[in-house]
Amino acid sequence: MNDCLFCKIAKGEIPSDVVFEDDDVKIFKDIHPKAPIHYLIIPKAHIQSIAHLEADHNDIIAKLIYAAKREAEKAGLKGYKLSFNVGKEGGQEVDHLHLHVLGGW
């Protein structure tokens, strides 16, 4: 998607405070954090939301969740919240699948 904010961040066209990156996912700090630690984990491939998942997305969803676990451990979080917002009515502000990792309270 040419006009997708998170696709541009995934490609490095828009700067972000990157925590981790590999071929499939990018993790960066939220610019409007709701917790002392607030990461966003996105797939590099454009998927609009959880509502748009297909069976062939199983691997990327698992990768997002494992990445959240790994980065929470690296940050020393003993407890944390994982959250997907789905659609505008569910609070999703950017139409690109992303997982929030919140913790450090």
Side-chain angles (χ1 to χ4, degrees):
M1 302 273 312
N2 292 335
D3 60 342
C4 173
L5 174 67
F6 286 174
C7 284
K8 290 178 180 179
I9 289 173
K11 294 176 190 171
E13 295 172 2
I14 294 176
S16 61
D17 192 351
V18 177
V19 174
F20 173 83
E21 180 173 11
D22 67 13
D23 291 340
D24 300 314
V25 301
K26 191 167 203 170
I27 304 173
F28 54 96
K29 294 180 180 177
D30 194 301
I31 61 170
H32 301 293
K34 307 290 188 258
I37 293 176
H38 188 169
Y39 299 151
L40 297 176
I41 305 177
I42 63 169
K44 288 190 171 179
H46 184 82
I47 302 169
Q48 187 170 331
S49 75
I50 290 287
H52 296 84
L53 289 176
E54 301 291 336
D56 63 340
H57 292 133
N58 288 344
D59 289 343
I60 195 62
I61 292 302
K63 197 157 195 183
L64 294 177
I65 293 169
Y66 280 116
K69 176 187 179 291
R70 182 187 62 246
E71 294 306 320
E73 288 173 352
K74 282 185 190 176
L77 299 177
K78 294 182 194 271
Y80 50 93
K81 182 186 293 190
L82 300 180
S83 176
F84 287 104
N85 297 333
V86 183
K88 297 220 183 301
E89 295 84 355
Q92 186 174 358
E93 295 178 13
V94 177
D95 287 334
H96 185 116
L97 179 67
H98 54 287
L99 175 59
H100 295 262
V101 180
L102 301 112
W105 295 283

